[in-house]
Amino acid sequence: MSEYSTGTLKTLVGKIKQAAIDAFMCEETWGGSDGVGISGWTIQGDLYFYVHPTSGSFGPITEEVTRPGADGEGGGRWKMRVPMAPDPDEEDRYVDDFDSIRRRIDEVFEPWFTREIPDPDAFDAPIGHLQAAIADLTLNSDGEEFSAGDIRALIRTQLHRINGGDYTGWSGKTVRAFENSYGEVRCATVTQNQRALLTRLAQALCAEQQIWFEARPAIMTIADGALAAFNAVAKDGDTESAALAWKIVSGVTGIIADAVPGGKVISKTISAAAVAMDVAKLFGTPEPPSEQKPGPISGGSFEAVMSSLEEAERALGLDIYEAEYYVWETLKKATDLASRDDRIDDFHIHRGRGIRERDDQTGTDWSEPNSLAFNADLFEEIGRYTLPSLGAILVGSADEAALSKASVWERDYRVGWGTRGAQSGYESSLDWAVQLMRSSGRDLVEAGEHCMIAAGYIRTADEETDRAFRAQYDKLDVGVTDYAGDTALPAPDPDEGTLAGPGAPGDPYHVPPRPGGPRGRPIPY
């Protein structure tokens, strides 16, 4: 099989045009093929040659038509030779027929060589950036693909010391409020769900890469099969191409279901209820499209071969379209879920949450006891080091993920789903995830500053402790009113790095589709 490149395919298409015109001219032979006696058109060098079945006294009457060159161009000029008569002028008797054949073949192949279709190897660099971003957020080792990084020490060691570690005797509303918003379970939930969102983006890139791994050899198999079939018809034969069995749709749906870069089966991630859950199960997947089942390129006539060629390319294009639309829908489902008012708490450290007296999931009331019993030095350490360090990891992971934008999706608009396929959906999801992670990271840094201040208050606590700490608690307790005179702070822009509480606006995912795609599908921007 020929290897895909625009130059290779264009050269091959020239040969296909010549072979198709050969088949068109020669398929109606009914006798010998030596140019003598009863026969149809035969190929003799750069001419199609026909010998009339009756001859005059001075020899046979013949007709000839110029044959296209190896690039498929030219030909179609006709003349008749009568023995002893002057040499006639050529006429353009078959030029229109030849041009019509060339146009049909161009409609099949031109989109594939006018502009190079995406190189699957070019996706390695953006996928690599997402691999690095995912690795930054890996809490539990994920086999050979990802090992736990600095985030594990911060969450499993530093934050564990408060809720279940050395300081299980800590008590008081402030302690439980901190645990609710910055404790081990809370930070693990947010960071691992953000990791799941990055994994979904990585799956999308890997799926798009898979499309072109399959599509490049598929179009060359179609071209090789067409050339062989047309040549067989021209030689009064019949042939059949190799089986056309690309796996574009099934390959893409398989990656979306359970794979990350490198083909690794995804790890579990923590849901809102701290229950292990597959990424595919967390975000859901769209209904998979049906895969086309093209027949071979074959037939005993020019028209039969041409029709099977057109159908094979149509099936390939439709599979690419359906696969890219599936990728787009997958990303939309993930971002829709993460931005929902009732799920944003699972993906952002503050959005729609703040710190509350009552845990809505467990029903635990944290307003009692009113006394405070905890280690102020450790509380200060967490504010000075743990939370800012965790925030820096989130921002760094987001910055790394942002580098995965690339122009590698681009191709001729007639191949697959428009010029860029699912790129608009990918970049919208990526931008949203990056904003989400950067905002969470900055909020953690600011939260750390407030914890350090709170620790200072606690050190000097006396009979006025509760009243003195209440002002600082308001800074942590964004968006919540829990005593007379307490004023809920407004929810600011989530990307400004300040604490946002209930009512913070979401960033709904929306890539408005345009009508007009195959089967009523939208056309991407």
Side-chain angles (χ1 to χ4, degrees):
M1 182 186 72
S2 305
E3 185 173 347
Y4 174 85
S5 73
T6 55
T8 300
L9 181 57
K10 191 171 184 179
T11 299
L12 186 55
V13 167
K15 296 177 181 179
I16 293 170
K17 290 177 180 178
Q18 184 191 53
I21 293 171
D22 286 350
F24 172 76
M25 293 295 289
C26 299
E27 66 181 347
E28 294 184 357
T29 59
W30 60 87
S33 59
D34 56 359
V36 179
I38 301 175
S39 68
W41 293 103
T42 60
I43 300 171
Q44 295 192 8
D46 57 358
L47 295 174
Y48 301 111
F49 197 74
Y50 176 70
V51 180
H52 280 247
T54 58
S55 300
S57 56
F58 297 102
I61 298 172
T62 60
E63 296 179 44
E64 59 189 52
V65 178
T66 54
R67 186 186 180 209
D71 61 356
E73 300 303 317
R77 302 277 291 172
W78 172 89
K79 71 168 58 176
M80 177 183 286
R81 296 182 184 275
V82 179
M84 305 299 292
D87 193 29
D89 294 331
E90 290 183 338
E91 300 176 16
D92 293 339
R93 180 173 293 188
Y94 287 91
V95 169
D96 288 345
D97 290 330
F98 289 8
D99 285 344
S100 176
I101 292 171
R102 283 189 280 259
R103 280 194 298 270
R104 289 180 71 178
I105 292 171
D106 279 337
E107 287 175 2
V108 171
F109 290 109
E110 193 175 55
W112 299 85
F113 65 72
T114 298
R115 182 175 185 177
E116 184 175 9
I117 61 175
D119 180 358
D121 291 339
F123 284 85
D124 286 346
I127 289 171
H129 289 301
L130 280 177
Q131 282 181 311
I134 292 169
D136 287 341
L137 299 188
T138 298
L139 183 60
N140 301 311
S141 294
D142 190 11
E144 298 179 358
E145 192 69 25
F146 299 106
S147 58
D150 294 341
I151 192 173
R152 180 172 179 80
L154 294 172
I155 293 177
R156 294 295 190 224
T157 302
Q158 294 292 322
L159 295 179
H160 181 73
R161 296 169 71 184
I162 290 181
N163 67 325
D166 300 336
Y167 299 94
T168 53
W170 289 16
S171 63
K173 181 171 65 177
T174 304
V175 175
R176 298 310 168 203
F178 172 85
E179 181 181 1
N180 183 36
S181 285
Y182 309 110
E184 177 185 6
V185 173
R186 174 72 183 144
C187 286
T189 296
V190 170
T191 58
Q192 295 315 285
N193 281 330
Q194 290 181 0
R195 182 181 187 268
L197 197 54
L198 293 182
T199 299
R200 195 46 123 192
L201 288 163
Q203 288 173 329
L205 280 184
C206 290
E208 187 72 18
Q209 182 183 50
Q210 175 66 20
I211 290 173
W212 305 111
F213 271 132
E214 293 284 337
R216 285 187 163 218
I219 191 62
M220 299 307 290
T221 299
I222 289 173
D224 287 338
L227 179 60
F230 282 130
N231 279 333
V233 172
K235 295 175 182 177
D236 195 23
D238 192 354
T239 190
E240 186 173 290
S241 70
L244 303 178
W246 52 78
K247 295 181 179 179
I248 292 175
V249 170
S250 57
V252 165
T253 55
I255 289 172
I256 294 297
D258 64 3
V260 290
K264 179 76 173 65
V265 175
I266 63 168
S267 67
K268 308 296 183 179
T269 191
I270 299 175
S271 71
V275 177
M277 181 179 293
D278 286 335
V279 170
K281 191 179 295 183
L282 175 64
F283 295 119
T285 53
E287 187 69 24
S290 299
E291 195 146 36
Q292 298 297 301
K293 296 180 179 179
I297 299 171
S298 62
S301 68
F302 160 78
E303 187 58 41
V305 173
M306 189 70 225
S307 296
S308 65
L309 167 60
E310 291 167 334
E311 174 57 26
E313 191 276 336
R314 186 204 66 82
L316 176 60
L318 186 57
D319 269 352
I320 295 172
Y321 177 92
E322 294 286 8
E324 291 196 298
Y325 189 79
Y326 182 83
V327 170
W328 185 86
E329 284 187 306
T330 297
L331 291 168
K332 183 179 185 300
K333 284 181 73 71
T335 317
D336 279 349
L337 175 80
S339 62
R340 265 173 31 193
D341 290 343
D342 63 335
R343 295 304 301 268
I344 189 66
D345 283 355
D346 304 333
F347 293 87
H348 191 287
I349 199 69
H350 285 135
R351 294 280 301 282
R353 189 180 182 92
I355 297 178
R356 304 172 182 174
E357 287 187 38
R358 182 179 179 83
D359 186 333
D360 294 336
Q361 295 177 17
T362 66
T364 302
D365 189 346
W366 293 333
S367 60
E368 296 294 340
N370 291 324
S371 62
L372 293 173
F374 70 107
N375 187 315
D377 291 334
L378 178 57
F379 198 59
E380 180 181 10
E381 177 188 346
I382 288 172
R384 173 174 49 81
Y385 169 74
T386 308
L387 294 184
S389 296
L390 189 58
I393 289 175
L394 290 184
V395 172
S397 178
D399 290 346
E400 185 70 38
L403 297 176
S404 67
K405 284 188 178 181
S407 61
V408 295
W409 306 67
E410 296 178 6
R411 83 304 295 256
D412 186 278
Y413 73 94
R414 293 166 289 182
V415 176
W417 190 23
T419 306
R420 296 180 178 86
Q423 183 178 8
S424 62
Y426 175 80
E427 293 189 353
S428 293
S429 290
L430 176 65
D431 289 344
W432 195 90
V434 166
Q435 177 181 332
L436 182 83
M437 295 169 66
R438 286 174 175 165
S439 175
S440 287
R442 284 191 290 266
D443 281 7
L444 282 167
V445 172
E446 185 171 345
E449 296 174 356
H450 292 318
C451 288
M452 289 176 62
I453 297 172
Y457 276 109
I458 294 167
R459 280 199 184 88
T460 58
D462 52 21
E463 67 274 4
E464 299 295 324
T465 293
D466 187 66
R467 183 178 61 189
F469 190 77
R470 182 170 291 171
Q472 181 58 31
Y473 178 72
D474 278 348
K475 294 182 181 179
L476 286 171
D477 193 16
V478 178
V480 177
T481 57
D482 43 37
Y483 62 87
D486 184 15
T487 302
L489 299 182
D493 185 323
D495 204 30
E496 291 300 318
T498 54
L499 306 172
D507 296 308
Y509 173 102
H510 182 60
V511 181
R514 298 180 296 184
R519 298 186 180 180
R521 303 287 200 186
I523 298 174
Y525 286 95

